[in-house]
Amino acid sequence: MSDCRRQWNREDELPVYLAGPITTGPNQRKSFGMFSSVEGAFDSKTIDFDNYAVGRKGSRTPRSGSRERLLDTGDPVGKTPSEPREGSLTNSPGDREDARTGVEVRFSTEKESPDGKNERLLIKGGRVVNDDQSFYADVYIEDGLIKQVGENLVVPGGVKVIEANGRMVIPGGIDVNTCLMKPFLGTQPVDDFLQGTKAAIAGGTTMIIDHVTPQPEDSLLEAFERWQEAADKKACCDYSLHVDIPQWNESVKYELELLVQEKGVNSFQVYMAYKDVYQMTDSQLYEAFSFLKQLGAVVLVHAENGDLIAQEQRKILGMGITGPEGHPLSRPEELEAEAVFRAITLGNRVNCPVYITKVMSKSAADTITQARRKGSVVFGEPITASLATDGSHYWSKNWAKAAAYVTSPPLSPDPTTPDHLHTLLACGDLQVVGSSHCAYSTSQKAVGKDDFTLIPEGTNGVEERMSFVWDKAVAMGKMDENQFVAVTSTNAAKIFNLYPRKGRIAVGSDADIVIWDPDSVKTITAKLQQSASEYNIFEGLECRGAPAMVLSQGRVVYEDGNLQTQQGTGRFIPRKPFPDYAYQRVKFRNQVKCVDFQNGVTRGIYDGPVYDVIPTPKYITPAPSAKTSPTSHQPPPIRNLHQSNFSLSGAQIDDNVPRRSGHRIVAPPGGRSNITSLG
Amino acid sequence: MSERRFSQEDDCSSLLSRLGSDSPRPRMKYGGMFCNVEGAFENKTLNFESFSPQTQRRRAARTRTDGGQTVVYPSGHAQENYGKREVQRAARDPRRCSREGGCCSSGDRLVIKGGKVVNDDQSFYADVYIEDGTIKQIGENLIVPPGVKTVDAYGQLVIPGGIDANTSLHAPQKGLNPADDFYHGTRAALSGGTTTIMDHVLVEPGTSLLSAFDQWKETAEQRACCDFSLHLDITRWHEGLYEELETLVKDKGVNSFLFFMAYKDKFQSSDSQLYEAFGVLRDLGAIAQVHAENGDIIDEEQKKLLCLGITGPEGHVLSHPEEVETEAVYRAITIAKQANCPLYITKVMSKSAADVIAKARKKGMVVYGEPITASLATDGSHYWSKDWATAAAFVMSPPLNPDPSTPQYLTSLLACGDLQVTSSAQASFSTAQKAVGKDDFTLIPEGTNGVEERMSVVWDRAVSTGKMDENEFVAVTSTNAAKLFNMYPRKGRIAVGSDADVVIWNPKETRTVSAKSHNLTLEVNILEGLELRGVASLVISAGRVVLEDGKLSVTEGSGRFVPRKAFPDTVYKRIKARSKMAEARGVPRGNYDGPVHDVISMTKSVPPTPTTRGPPCPKTQPGPRNLHQSGFTLAGAQIDDHIPRRSAQRIVAPPGGRSNITSLS
């Protein structure tokens, strides 16, 4: 596991990539986006199997996080992209295939395709919808990749054909915000990576980006590895990980650097809320933003003013309000909007892209809109809950129901909020739809039955996400299907540097495809959902639009209501820093700003009289410094010259540690070493 | 706590108890003390009887606060007339006499003839008769005693004297005292047509509010030439300040307190502190003012710029970008909204900050914005001046905006009422003082001049360009400030019974601003060379002519402290109504009786205050405030309970009913 990550930046050296032009390895992205210049992406009717033949082997592996490991073990043939990475229940690929054929009856024949393991699929007669255009075309999939897009494709025999019958063929959804493993006082959400990704697939989402949420004292790296391990075992669809930064200090910086450069994480969340737990001061935020910008990461911000929330919570508890209605009362919309405004200001100052997670209110969304008008590089992410329902339910007489809606920022009680957010999504002022899926059972929520501040926060939504956007935006005529694709997958892929591997139907992209049925109508209910949570906050809502078929990694995983997922098939998708979509403007502004700043005014030296100032003792705030780790105060570990001198005389190895011990002074490395010999 | 106090005011027991302290009483009624001056609006009736008790009370309050002096004139002798008393006093204490206004001087009785009286609501031609420092009659064909000095105001405007709501004439910065103190500052103010200043008492962290206030007041009473009032700048908020605040508000006549969101590690308050403070101020009926800039960001930017090698004054504006101001304004408004406290933003320097205020007002927030002379008259391009001294003279926070369209924009907002008050933020430091920061812009003492030019700038930029009418001019230069800070209609209006702070304004004259001719000691005037239309041709302060024919005749120490009552109507009517509405109600539900997940008892380590943006509020409370504490100490160990709200213990033993059933191991 860890070795594979170590290898990850070595891939440039791997000769296997030289073989195929469509290798799609992230290494190519360095030139200009890995797919943007793939030759033949648009004249997809030509087939050059030779091209693929080699590329297939190479291309199969690069996108799987496990590729490098596989190459290390020298057994690339036995592995397919759909292979579980680790700890899958089955051992050999053959076994697994057999097990799967049992489930996917329809596909049993195709399993026996010449390759033996690779599926070959042809989606016929569908309308391919990307974020920029829609066109009628067939899509040919092989080895988990889209190999051809076009009409009258020449495909090998024995290919399974799916008749799309004119329905939309869209890139699989990307849910950029899930918390499937976020611990709450030692317990886990009821939807883990298995349940959560199953629900995602059932809703047409073929990739999730989950939040790694370490506790303030934890190591980010360890937490990341824990998450990755759990996800590798359980996830049924591809995933990637954001890492939340619970506190800011020097040691975090080192870990962040590692995460970005070696682990394939390019997005980190910081908190402006949760006072005394995760909250950072503005100074820390500024530092964090600056640092993350240097790394080329996207900064995700949980934007709420934690100071005021703490005060309001105290006040409301003091008033005797302990039920879930206290939650929205203590977190009014203004606090969200204020924090969004502040985050954007910080982002502007640092010149760093800012991504606001969970836009829940009109005013927060408007703040983002206005900032974008002024040119800020800021992205906003409304979530399923804010797009489909409102906060009136917090006042429900049923405690369990009211508690189920508890998330923060809370749902706005204003019933026009969903409509407004959809409008902004449609016009591009908000870019990405997440779900912030974090499902806790009612009994877990009941921990806060006498104190709303203890209710674990999180709602469901991963399963309903795509359908609600369709229902409330596309079906209402606010949004066209292309924009639908953009907000559900393409934009997310671009912001987080997954594009065009994900988020597009194009030759060379991953075969994460959804055949969307705009006419299907379903009523959402907890009884029929995939998620394990017993309460669905959208209970009873009717919703048009649903996936008719979902392909993940080239395999049909959902068809007509039947899930055919397999635990552990999800791969970790590493993401490179400096996503073009977020960083291009930032880079240019950097140059401009540098020029600006170099324009200091050259003046003659002031030679007039100068007042004498009595030095006043400056008051130093003790607070923030207490959080910085003590490591920052340690002297830099240089001075090897000294050390070599010492090792000869023995027992000096320990001397490294207490660098400030009096020893060094007594026995300086210079002349007197032979006089005062130790021991 | 404060709630209780507030309601008690209606009890007669507390009334009685306060009699001894001679605190201004009418506050307990709903109006500010001067709001209901009878006859204030029927200008022509003369009813001396009705005024004297008011003035009496005022006088009493004033005398009382005169550091340790016993009350000389107990209230109640309504008939006793001013002049006589002043003479008595003059005989006894010449200094005091002069301070008590020029009542004893020759300018005692005045009639202003032929001018156009301009108030904020209307203009009309009338004569104004002044006696004993108050306006006694307004109207045509007044019957005045013989031998009265007549001032000719034909073709000119008679306006209420200006109120400069923001000066810092005594606040030291980095150990340096301003070059222009109360004497020079008020002198300049008078020459520009401003007859009342409101100075900021900068309370150094760790010192007592009251002693700082007393010190300021004493200095001002000795030095000031015009009436003054005081704001208090609270540099470190903690709960223990409550007592002092209460004293200041109820007994000392201070109803406005400024908090800093900038000056990290020095004066800056965190959001929590602001919220707490705003809540207290609301209960006391005071107005919260903020210096709105994000100190954290500024701090970082300053470090960055110094690293880049920028040490000149341009670094100041680069490190205090507009957005930082805007952000803080937005945050301050949010906090005030949550605390339901009126908010007054001092020094609105940029378009976007003004926009935020305007928008918030449109949403119904009780927020006021104050552009200053500098931001209305000039822009921040001068920070890049080749002349260090010039560039440094402009250094102030928030800085002047480099966008040259800012002054026009702010003027427009001022004209349409989105911004309400103009002030000067006068705080002058000589070039030698500014030169302390010659190698590091962060050390340059901040402050510009403007007290003298304020009225003319507004006239020139707004009225003579047609953006604003003369009534609005009066509103933004005096009336609004008087209303907000509860000095109305004593100040800010030409009406019978008001103070005789009157300016005869000549809209046709122009003058050119220059450091050579201004009345400050400062050697650089940031408005140097500006030609301004509209000049105060004659200024009457407290019934005395202090400026006539370009000649100033001021008396050091003649300025009186103007106490201001809590709960100004203009501000607090809405706040009070909202307080009643804001009661949130919980949902009555049956007890949740489903399963409850067991949680591991996580010892939540409260990390050492990562969130305090400023200095942490020390819980050590000097002085009384004992009710709370004694209550708590009896039950024991409850002080800690506030902090780990999320500890598992609370769950297991909820305060409700089931605590005995589900006990954790």
Side-chain angles (χ1 to χ4, degrees):
Chain A
M1 180 115 224
S2 52
D3 56 341
C4 80
R5 267 167 251 127
R6 224 185 309 120
Q7 303 269 337
W8 190 54
N9 49 0
R10 253 212 251 156
E11 64 200 339
D12 306 55
E13 301 147 26
L14 298 177
V16 68
Y17 292 101
L18 301 174
I22 325 187
T23 50
T24 73
N27 57 327
Q28 292 196 344
R29 192 179 310 142
K30 270 174 212 145
S31 44
F32 6 63
M34 80 173 138
F35 293 105
S36 40
S37 58
V38 174
E39 307 94 276
F42 297 103
D43 32 310
S44 38
K45 286 159 211 168
T46 346
I47 326 167
D48 186 351
F49 278 99
D50 290 341
N51 242 350
Y52 299 128
V54 198
R56 196 186 309 149
K57 275 177 190 134
S59 64
R60 183 193 319 145
T61 46
R63 65 260 324 287
S64 79
S66 52
R67 158 184 44 113
E68 297 80 7
R69 175 170 44 101
L70 304 180
L71 290 170
D72 255 7
T73 56
D75 181 24
V77 191
K79 310 279 180 166
T80 67
S82 54
E83 163 92 0
R85 298 189 56 195
E86 264 189 11
S88 81
L89 301 173
T90 53
N91 286 331
S92 79
D95 285 352
R96 189 178 49 73
E97 293 302 330
D98 291 344
R100 198 152 50 96
T101 48
V103 188
E104 308 177 272
V105 185
R106 273 193 66 187
F107 290 83
S108 53
T109 47
E110 275 69 34
K111 291 301 158 304
E112 270 65 64
S113 60
D115 212 84
K117 294 135 220 141
N118 301 317
E119 289 189 24
R120 293 176 174 188
L121 278 173
L122 181 65
I123 302 173
K124 274 198 96 135
R127 194 152 60 94
V128 174
V129 180
N130 276 324
D131 67 320
D132 53 349
Q133 58 175 348
S134 314
F135 51 90
Y136 284 93
D138 300 344
V139 179
Y140 174 65
I141 295 161
E142 194 180 314
D143 293 338
L145 290 182
I146 298 171
K147 294 287 178 174
Q148 298 178 59
V149 179
E151 289 171 55
N152 309 320
L153 299 180
V154 182
V155 295
V159 166
K160 155 91 187 160
V161 178
I162 297 168
E163 286 294 342
N165 292 326
R167 280 185 294 198
M168 293 163 52
V169 177
I170 62 173
I174 300 176
D175 189 339
V176 285
N177 185 352
T178 63
C179 299
L180 300 178
M181 218 176 109
K182 183 181 181 181
F184 166 71
L185 295 179
T187 65
Q188 299 281 335
V190 289
D191 281 340
D192 60 0
F193 276 109
L194 174 62
Q195 288 297 333
T197 50
K198 268 163 88 174
I201 285 172
T205 296
T206 53
M207 173 163 184
I208 59 164
I209 309 185
D210 201 69
H211 278 276
V212 176
T213 51
Q215 291 305 303
E217 307 303 325
D218 293 356
S219 144
L220 299 189
L221 268 176
E222 280 168 22
F224 170 80
E225 272 159 24
R226 249 193 354 259
W227 251 258
Q228 202 186 23
E229 200 177 326
D232 279 339
K233 278 185 198 148
K234 290 181 176 171
C236 312
C237 66
D238 287 355
Y239 70 97
S240 192
L241 295 171
H242 304 296
V243 176
D244 294 7
I245 306 175
Q247 62 180 3
W248 185 252
N249 55 36
E250 288 300 314
S251 60
V252 164
K253 287 188 185 174
Y254 172 71
E255 291 189 310
L256 291 180
E257 218 168 320
L258 265 179
L259 283 168
V260 170
Q261 277 156 15
E262 292 177 25
K263 305 287 185 184
V265 177
N266 73 2
S267 50
F268 298 90
Q269 172 151 315
V270 294
Y271 291 91
M272 299 171 82
Y274 305 109
K275 183 171 176 171
D276 296 338
V277 187
Y278 304 127
Q279 187 175 329
M280 289 189 197
T281 66
D282 288 358
S283 299
Q284 290 169 330
L285 289 171
Y286 189 99
E287 272 181 45
F289 281 31
S290 312
F291 189 76
L292 291 173
K293 175 190 161 197
Q294 280 168 22
L295 294 178
V298 179
V299 183
L300 316 182
V301 181
H302 178 115
E304 278 183 296
N305 188 318
D307 277 18
L308 293 186
I309 289 171
Q311 297 276 1
E312 293 283 336
Q313 284 180 338
R314 210 174 303 155
K315 188 175 100 188
I316 282 166
L317 285 174
M319 289 162 73
I321 297 177
T322 58
E325 68 276 13
H327 184 73
L329 287 175
S330 62
R331 308 174 99 101
E333 183 171 330
E334 287 89 356
L335 305 192
E336 186 193 352
E338 187 278 318
V340 169
F341 196 93
R342 186 148 42 100
I344 292 171
T345 307
L346 280 159
N348 286 347
R349 290 325 301 161
V350 178
N351 185 24
C352 155
V354 174
Y355 179 98
I356 309 287
T357 59
K358 292 189 266 183
V359 175
M360 304 298 281
S361 66
K362 283 160 93 170
S363 49
D366 287 342
T367 307
I368 294 171
T369 305
Q370 277 155 22
R372 288 178 64 85
R373 300 259 141 86
K374 288 184 191 152
S376 307
V377 185
V378 55
F379 307 105
E381 166 207 283
I383 65 170
T384 320
S386 62
L387 289 170
T389 182
D390 62 57
S392 55
H393 304 277
Y394 290 116
W395 280 265
S396 163
K397 290 276 183 193
N398 177 350
W399 190 92
K401 181 179 179 189
Y405 287 83
V406 170
T407 184
S408 52
L411 287 159
S412 168
D414 181 350
T416 61
T417 305
D419 203 43
H420 188 75
L421 294 181
H422 275 292
T423 309
L424 293 187
L425 258 185
C427 75
D429 283 342
L430 298 173
Q431 293 74 36
V432 180
V433 181
S435 70
S436 189
H437 186 91
C438 183
Y440 291 104
S441 67
T442 303
S443 66
Q444 281 173 314
K445 293 253 181 191
V447 166
K449 71 191 168 58
D450 299 313
D451 180 351
F452 64 88
T453 62
L454 298 173
I455 302 174
E457 292 165 353
T459 57
N460 63 306
V462 70
E463 192 170 347
E464 299 83 5
R465 188 178 68 100
M466 308 257 298
S467 293
F468 271 121
V469 176
W470 184 272
D471 180 65
K472 305 228 171 215
V474 189
M476 303 291 284
K478 281 191 175 181
M479 195 187 263
D480 59 20
E481 56 198 24
N482 303 100
Q483 181 69 3
F484 172 73
V485 168
V487 299
T488 53
S489 62
T490 312
N491 288 349
K494 285 179 179 169
I495 292 172
F496 295 110
N497 228 355
L498 296 161
Y499 190 80
R501 178 173 173 188
K502 303 280 185 191
R504 185 166 186 89
I505 298 197
V507 174
S509 297
D510 273 5
D512 287 352
I513 291 176
V514 171
I515 298 178
W516 190 258
D517 178 3
D519 303 320
S520 105
V521 177
K522 68 175 173 190
T523 306
I524 288 166
T525 164
K527 291 187 198 93
L528 300 176
Q529 71 188 1
Q530 293 298 329
S531 158
S533 63
E534 64 250 62
Y535 199 90
N536 190 316
I537 60 166
F538 310 109
E539 188 77 36
L541 289 180
E542 221 180 57
C543 175
R544 278 159 291 181
M549 178 182 278
V550 178
L551 280 79
S552 166
Q553 302 170 11
R555 287 198 313 118
V556 176
V557 287
Y558 177 84
E559 192 180 5
D560 296 333
N562 298 316
L563 270 181
Q564 295 145 359
T565 56
Q566 196 169 15
Q567 185 170 355
T569 48
R571 303 163 300 182
F572 174 72
I573 311 287
R575 294 172 289 134
K576 290 266 184 176
F578 293 107
D580 269 358
Y581 192 66
Y583 265 93
Q584 258 176 3
R585 283 178 288 170
V586 166
K587 281 179 191 161
F588 278 106
R589 286 177 198 187
N590 246 3
Q591 292 164 11
V592 176
K593 213 173 170 186
C594 279
V595 172
D596 259 7
F597 273 168
Q598 266 135 39
N599 288 345
V601 180
T602 44
R603 296 189 179 88
I605 295 163
Y606 174 84
D607 50 1
V610 181
Y611 252 72
D612 276 341
V613 189
I614 311 126
T616 44
K618 196 187 167 197
Y619 175 75
I620 306 286
T621 316
S625 55
K627 259 206 140 185
T628 55
S629 83
T631 52
S632 58
H633 299 301
Q634 282 177 3
I638 30 169
R639 322 188 61 172
N640 343 357
L641 262 180
H642 281 199
Q643 282 194 327
S644 61
N645 280 349
F646 269 73
S647 54
L648 281 174
S649 51
Q652 252 74 6
I653 295 166
D654 302 356
D655 279 7
N656 294 353
V657 190
R659 268 211 182 274
R660 296 198 177 177
S661 71
H663 248 250
R664 308 209 99 218
I665 303 154
V666 180
R672 296 161 52 109
S673 59
N674 40 5
I675 301 172
T676 52
S677 69
L678 189 91
Chain B
M1 179 100 199
S2 42
E3 220 81 68
R4 220 186 310 137
R5 241 170 253 249
F6 177 38
S7 58
Q8 265 178 7
E9 286 197 346
D10 297 342
D11 292 345
C12 70
S13 60
S14 67
L15 273 187
L16 290 173
S17 70
R18 209 174 290 124
L19 274 181
S21 70
D22 200 12
S23 141
R25 279 164 55 203
R27 186 193 328 127
M28 287 134 214
K29 296 182 191 136
Y30 51 98
M33 87 170 133
F34 294 104
C35 289
N36 296 326
V37 177
E38 302 94 280
F41 300 102
E42 317 144 17
N43 295 323
K44 287 160 208 173
T45 342
L46 215 109
N47 186 358
F48 283 94
E49 300 307 315
S50 66
F51 306 127
S52 10
Q54 304 276 351
T55 34
Q56 198 69 40
R57 262 200 299 271
R58 189 168 78 224
R59 176 173 301 273
R62 201 194 320 141
T63 355
R64 199 203 137 267
T65 45
D66 263 343
Q69 287 248 357
T70 44
V71 182
V72 188
Y73 302 104
S75 45
H77 299 267
Q79 312 81 316
E80 198 177 357
N81 101 29
Y82 263 163
K84 211 164 109 199
R85 218 191 305 149
E86 288 303 335
V87 173
Q88 274 179 1
R89 270 185 186 203
R92 218 189 56 242
D93 180 358
R95 188 178 65 80
R96 167 180 295 274
C97 162
S98 54
R99 190 191 329 137
E100 288 298 345
C103 318
C104 49
S105 73
S106 57
D108 210 358
R109 293 173 173 191
L110 266 177
V111 65
I112 301 167
K113 287 212 157 200
K116 185 180 179 192
V117 174
V118 182
N119 275 325
D120 68 318
D121 53 349
Q122 57 175 350
S123 314
F124 51 89
Y125 286 94
D127 299 345
V128 179
Y129 172 65
I130 293 165
E131 193 181 314
D132 293 338
T134 38
I135 297 170
K136 295 289 180 177
Q137 295 180 62
I138 297 172
E140 291 170 51
N141 309 318
L142 298 179
I143 305 156
V144 294
V148 166
K149 175 173 175 176
T150 305
V151 174
D152 181 17
Y154 283 105
Q156 301 189 41
L157 307 179
V158 179
I159 60 172
I163 298 175
D164 191 337
N166 183 355
T167 64
S168 298
L169 299 176
H170 192 58
Q173 275 186 30
K174 301 172 177 93
L176 301 167
N177 284 315
D180 292 299
D181 63 358
F182 275 113
Y183 174 69
H184 293 111
T186 51
R187 204 165 158 265
L190 285 172
S191 74
T194 298
T195 54
T196 308
I197 60 157
M198 304 180 78
D199 202 67
H200 279 276
V201 179
L202 181 72
V203 185
E204 285 292 333
T207 54
S208 140
L209 302 185
L210 278 171
S211 64
F213 169 79
D214 287 338
Q215 189 220 335
W216 241 261
K217 194 170 155 219
E218 200 178 327
T219 319
E221 279 175 344
Q222 283 166 14
R223 305 276 289 155
C225 318
C226 69
D227 287 358
F228 65 93
S229 192
L230 297 173
H231 306 294
L232 252 82
D233 298 3
I234 296 177
T235 50
R236 197 170 305 159
W237 170 259
H238 53 94
E239 294 258 322
L241 288 179
Y242 185 89
E243 296 288 333
E244 284 195 298
L245 287 185
E246 200 181 10
T247 316
L248 282 166
V249 171
K250 295 199 170 155
D251 299 331
K252 300 285 188 183
V254 177
N255 72 3
S256 48
F257 298 89
L258 179 114
F259 294 88
F260 293 95
M261 299 171 83
Y263 305 111
K264 191 181 178 199
D265 293 343
K266 222 168 128 204
F267 300 148
Q268 188 172 332
S269 296
S270 71
D271 291 358
S272 298
Q273 290 173 320
L274 288 175
Y275 180 88
E276 280 172 21
F278 285 7
V280 167
L281 293 185
R282 178 203 58 220
D283 292 342
L284 290 173
I287 297 170
Q289 302 184 313
V290 288
H291 175 119
E293 281 183 296
N294 188 320
D296 282 13
I297 300 183
I298 291 171
D299 189 57
E300 299 284 343
E301 298 269 330
Q302 283 179 338
K303 279 185 225 156
K304 198 166 89 187
L305 283 167
L306 287 175
C307 280
L308 286 169
I310 295 179
T311 58
E314 70 275 13
H316 180 75
V317 66
L318 290 175
S319 63
H320 291 68
E322 175 176 342
E323 296 172 287
V324 167
E325 182 192 354
T326 314
E327 188 281 313
V329 169
Y330 195 102
R331 184 149 45 96
I333 291 172
T334 308
I335 298 171
K337 164 90 194 308
Q338 287 312 305
N340 191 24
C341 177
L343 182 71
Y344 180 94
I345 310 281
T346 60
K347 292 186 264 183
V348 175
M349 304 299 283
S350 64
K351 286 157 106 171
S352 52
D355 276 341
V356 169
I357 295 171
K359 261 182 220 146
R361 287 178 63 82
K362 296 211 166 88
K363 285 187 196 150
M365 320 268 181
V366 185
V367 58
Y368 304 95
E370 165 206 278
I372 67 168
T373 318
S375 63
L376 291 171
T378 181
D379 61 57
S381 53
H382 304 275
Y383 290 113
W384 282 268
S385 163
K386 288 277 181 194
D387 176 22
W388 190 91
T390 309
F394 284 84
V395 170
M396 67 166 310
S397 299
L400 286 159
N401 202 293
D403 180 349
S405 64
T406 307
Q408 281 97 318
Y409 192 79
L410 293 180
T411 317
S412 301
L413 289 193
L414 198 59
C416 75
D418 281 344
L419 299 172
Q420 293 74 36
V421 179
T422 54
S423 73
S424 67
Q426 162 86 24
S428 48
F429 292 94
S430 67
T431 304
Q433 286 174 321
K434 294 246 178 192
V436 165
K438 69 188 165 63
D439 301 317
D440 179 352
F441 64 88
T442 63
L443 299 178
I444 302 174
E446 294 167 353
T448 57
N449 63 306
V451 71
E452 188 172 351
E453 297 82 6
R454 185 178 65 101
M455 309 262 292
S456 294
V457 162
V458 177
W459 186 274
D460 181 74
R461 296 291 154 119
V463 187
S464 58
T465 56
K467 280 187 179 169
M468 197 187 261
D469 60 24
E470 57 200 23
N471 304 100
E472 188 66 16
F473 171 73
V474 168
V476 300
T477 53
S478 61
T479 313
N480 288 349
K483 283 180 178 166
L484 291 183
F485 295 110
N486 226 357
M487 300 190 289
Y488 188 80
R490 179 179 170 186
K491 303 280 186 195
R493 186 170 186 86
I494 300 210
V496 174
S498 299
D499 274 5
D501 287 349
V502 177
V503 170
I504 296 180
W505 190 259
N506 186 345
K508 295 179 196 102
E509 209 178 315
T510 57
R511 69 160 171 186
T512 307
V513 179
S514 165
K516 293 189 195 86
S517 57
H518 71 193
N519 287 291
L520 294 170
T521 58
L522 212 58
E523 58 274 67
V524 182
N525 191 316
I526 59 162
L527 307 177
E528 187 77 37
L530 224 58
E531 209 178 75
L532 299 174
R533 281 159 289 185
V535 167
S537 60
L538 186 135
V539 178
I540 299 165
S541 167
R544 282 194 327 117
V545 176
V546 291
L547 175 81
E548 197 171 9
D549 302 330
K551 282 196 292 287
L552 271 175
S553 57
V554 298
T555 319
E556 188 175 341
S558 61
R560 300 164 302 179
F561 174 68
V562 181
R564 292 172 291 129
K565 296 276 185 153
F567 294 107
D569 261 1
T570 318
V571 176
Y572 263 92
K573 268 184 200 154
R574 284 183 287 169
I575 295 285
K576 281 178 190 166
R578 286 176 201 186
S579 295
K580 281 175 206 144
M581 293 300 295
E583 293 297 311
R585 275 171 296 275
V587 178
R589 294 189 180 92
N591 278 338
Y592 174 84
D593 51 1
V596 180
H597 216 278
D598 272 342
V599 288
I600 310 157
S601 161
M602 291 228 312
T603 50
K604 200 199 110 191
S605 64
V606 180
T609 62
T611 49
T612 37
R613 205 174 270 129
C617 8
K619 282 283 175 186
T620 50
Q621 293 155 357
R625 184 80 182 147
N626 15 27
L627 261 179
H628 256 194
Q629 281 198 327
S630 61
F632 270 73
T633 40
L634 279 175
Q638 250 74 6
I639 294 165
D640 305 356
D641 276 6
H642 290 261
I643 305 160
R645 272 227 176 264
R646 296 206 171 185
S647 74
Q649 280 223 317
R650 307 208 99 220
I651 310 149
V652 181
R658 297 165 49 111
S659 58
N660 39 4
I661 302 171
T662 52
S663 70
L664 181 94
S665 62

